[in-house]
Amino acid sequence: MKSPIFILIIFLFGMPTVHAQEQPTADSLAFPSFDCGIVQNKQKLDKKSFASTPALYLRVNNSDYIYATLQLGKRKNNLFMYIQILDKNVCVKKDEVLDIFFKTGEVITYKNGFPLNCDGFFAKQLSKKEWEKLRLNDIELIKLYTYKKNYELYVSEVQNIDIDNQLDCLSAYKIKKTDEVKIKKEKQ
């Protein structure tokens, strides 16, 4: 009789330790997200509806505690890449350069299509050829050149998978017309 109770007590006290070992750690959460997460709301960009993916956070490697966001978007049938350095007074002028270094050794240079700003925004409309290049090649490093400083962003394997997935999702996504809101009239 003592044996089953003893086993039950060990089982009950042993469960929290087994459960705690099965909890995901910070390192195990570094898996790519296959959920597209595309968001489209009623806001307009240049009087046109747009959709965007969740932002990917990239750490700036040549600065302490500074991050950048990389976000992909779509307006009409055009794909866009937005990068924002999350630091104070990062001034990026129009036609400022961003270099993308691929693991193959190839480098592509993009010019900023966003007007002069000191919010750290870089925007680029991607052509089909540019989109395919990003989709088919793994990115190793992104370098953004600004007035005061150059920012280096290394891209991990998981982030490369996320970028590929988001590009695939956006290319297949159809923009919905969001200004068509129908209100039903109540009969009295």
Side-chain angles (χ1 to χ4, degrees):
M1 184 86 176
K2 290 182 183 180
S3 178
I5 295 174
F6 180 73
I7 292 173
L8 180 64
I9 290 173
I10 289 176
F11 180 75
L12 291 176
F13 284 111
M15 279 185 62
T17 58
V18 171
H19 183 65
Q21 290 174 352
E22 293 174 353
Q23 295 277 336
T25 61
D27 292 338
S28 68
L29 293 176
F31 293 106
S33 171
F34 292 104
D35 176 23
C36 289
I38 294 175
V39 175
Q40 180 181 344
N41 54 30
K42 292 184 180 185
Q43 292 179 329
K44 304 261 183 176
L45 184 61
D46 290 338
K47 299 180 183 179
K48 296 176 185 159
S49 298
F50 70 95
S52 61
T53 61
L56 298 174
Y57 290 89
L58 306 173
R59 186 164 182 267
V60 176
N61 285 353
N62 58 340
S63 295
D64 293 334
Y65 309 111
I66 297 175
Y67 287 85
T69 60
L70 184 143
Q71 194 167 18
L72 300 166
K74 184 174 187 176
R75 187 177 68 195
K76 284 188 126 184
N77 289 325
N78 301 320
L79 293 176
F80 292 86
M81 177 177 59
Y82 304 97
I83 295 178
Q84 182 184 15
I85 303 294
L86 303 174
D87 197 10
K88 298 175 187 171
N89 296 326
V90 178
C91 295
V92 181
K93 63 182 178 179
K94 188 173 174 90
D95 296 331
E96 193 73 51
V97 174
L98 173 119
D99 288 333
I100 295 183
F101 295 81
F102 294 103
K103 290 187 178 179
T104 60
E106 189 175 356
V107 180
I108 293 182
T109 300
Y110 296 135
K111 291 187 177 183
N112 184 20
F114 204 74
L116 171 68
N117 69 88
C118 287
D119 296 322
F121 280 110
F122 178 93
K124 170 71 174 126
Q125 180 177 337
L126 300 172
S127 68
K128 184 168 176 83
K129 183 179 175 183
E130 291 167 334
W131 172 83
E132 287 174 358
K133 178 69 80 178
L134 288 175
R135 172 64 185 92
L136 297 175
N137 295 299
D138 284 345
I139 300 169
E140 183 175 5
L141 170 71
I142 298 172
K143 254 188 192 179
L144 179 61
Y145 303 96
T146 66
Y147 275 120
K148 293 183 181 179
K149 184 177 185 179
N150 301 335
Y151 292 88
E152 295 178 359
L153 313 165
Y154 283 94
V155 181
S156 70
E157 286 296 319
V158 170
Q159 290 166 332
N160 270 308
I161 293 169
D162 281 337
I163 291 168
D164 291 348
N165 184 46
Q166 289 180 357
L167 285 168
D168 285 342
C169 290
L170 272 178
S171 67
Y173 185 80
K174 301 291 183 201
I175 300 289
K176 300 169 187 89
K177 293 183 179 180
T178 59
D179 56 345
E180 295 178 7
V181 178
K182 296 180 181 177
I183 301 172
K184 292 183 179 179
K185 292 184 180 180
E186 293 181 26
K187 294 185 179 180
Q188 294 181 2

